[in-house]
Amino acid sequence: MANTGAPFLRSVHAEDLPERGWPFAIPAVAALAGGLDLDAAVVMLCGDNGTGKSTIVEALAVELGVNVEGGSRHFRFATRETETPLAEHLVVTRRAGPRPADTFFLRAETYFNVATEVERLGGPLDSYGGFSPHDRSHGEGFLDLVTNRFGPGGLYLLDEPESALSVHGCLALLTVMAELAAAGAQFIVATHSPVLLACPGARIYETGADGIERVDYDRAGPVTLTRGFLADPQRYLHHLLDR
Ligand SMILES: Nc1ncnc2c1ncn2[C@@H]1O[C@H](COP(=O)(O)OP(=O)(O)OP(=O)(O)O)[C@@H](O)[C@H]1O
Ligand SMILES: [Mg+2]
């Protein structure tokens, strides 16, 4: 596979952010005023629940013209009122050169609606391995999509792709991501998975009370906590359960 010259996105920053109200008071969102370097084939956002990962990825998707509930630029369904007040403040800097052949946003929580839209749009199901996603399990459908639709010229925004996947499935996704990234695709991924964070060359940002911090794999929260737990589950259970 030829390298197409990605990463497509070099950076994003936010302009004229209000200081108060949702989502501007979230430290990671406020930190976007200082800019976030996206100049890597794989950019990961990790950080605890509620620290703003989905808010940021969703606003980026809107800014890129992708359906906010998931899908490509051609998907236009909406099953709920979706507000992304952050999107209008975002300024994306793209690399000069070809545009992505495909831009796709996938959030595990709305994958069901993406599957319904795939059926409604009709057309060949080649991009989904020949199956309607509704006829597959959540994880199977997700891996069908990644394996058959995603390609080396694409820009992919994924929000917690691990939600549908076993550890084995995460390893399969990690393999596809690493291969496509090496061939020119770009991935922006919000994740809690220590497996996915291990993607070669991934730039890892951790969102939290102090905003957004770039961390090495070995310092990323999901990695240190999972390592600590697996090394001695009883010790953690003792603390958590007080016995
Ligand atoms: N529509 C909304 N209105 C007000 N607050 C919201 C709204 N959507 C999300 N929030 C809040 O914004 C914060 C950031 O949410 P976000 O979904 O971006 O977190 P996250 O880092 O993706 O968390 P998780 O790891 O649980 O997916 C949370 O405190 C959440 O409760
Ligand atoms: Mg989220």
Side-chain angles (χ1 to χ4, degrees):
M1 286 187 276
N3 193 308
T4 53
F8 301 103
L9 308 182
R10 296 181 63 183
S11 66
V12 61
H13 72 274
E15 289 184 346
D16 304 323
L17 283 180
E19 286 179 17
R20 275 187 261 275
W22 181 83
F24 309 109
I26 299 170
V29 171
L32 292 177
L36 191 65
D37 193 339
L38 302 175
D39 206 0
V42 180
V43 177
M44 303 277 195
L45 289 180
C46 69
D48 226 331
N49 294 128
T51 53
K53 302 178 302 297
S54 296
T55 303
I56 293 171
V57 174
E58 185 174 298
L60 197 52
V62 170
E63 174 58 20
L64 295 172
V66 180
N67 190 356
V68 68
E69 288 197 37
S72 73
R73 297 166 74 92
H74 304 294
F75 286 54
R76 282 281 164 256
F77 68 88
T79 56
R80 67 180 167 105
E81 193 70 32
T82 41
E83 277 180 66
T84 49
L86 174 59
E88 61 203 66
H89 295 274
L90 292 187
V91 179
V92 173
T93 307
R94 295 174 169 80
R95 182 179 288 283
R99 295 219 152 208
D102 186 23
T103 304
F104 205 95
F105 174 39
L106 204 60
R107 45 192 311 170
E109 61 196 81
T110 51
Y111 182 71
F112 182 87
N113 303 332
V114 171
T116 301
E117 182 70 355
V118 168
E119 285 198 342
R120 195 190 65 78
L121 288 173
L125 290 168
D126 302 3
S127 295
Y128 305 91
F131 299 100
S132 164
H134 277 311
D135 297 336
R136 303 283 272 167
S137 80
H138 191 187
E140 285 173 331
F142 184 83
L143 286 173
D144 285 342
L145 176 75
V146 171
T147 314
N148 297 288
R149 173 172 181 135
F150 287 15
L155 169 59
Y156 303 107
L157 287 82
L158 310 177
D159 191 0
E160 292 196 36
E162 70 271 18
S163 324
L165 300 175
S166 66
V167 175
H168 207 256
C170 282
L171 291 170
L173 173 60
L174 174 66
T175 307
V176 176
M177 275 178 36
E179 288 176 355
L180 292 180
Q186 186 176 23
F187 291 86
I188 314 274
V189 186
T191 184
H192 296 292
S193 167
V195 172
L196 295 183
L197 286 170
C199 192
R203 175 165 314 182
I204 304 174
Y205 292 111
E206 189 148 352
T207 50
D210 294 329
I212 305 179
E213 185 190 5
R214 186 170 169 183
V215 293
D216 292 335
Y217 179 75
D218 288 310
R219 266 211 321 131
V223 177
T224 56
L225 195 54
T226 306
R227 270 193 181 135
F229 182 81
L230 292 179
D232 192 351
Q234 290 310 324
R235 189 167 66 87
Y236 276 78
L237 291 173
H238 174 73
H239 282 292
L240 290 168
L241 305 176
D242 202 20
R243 63 181 182 216

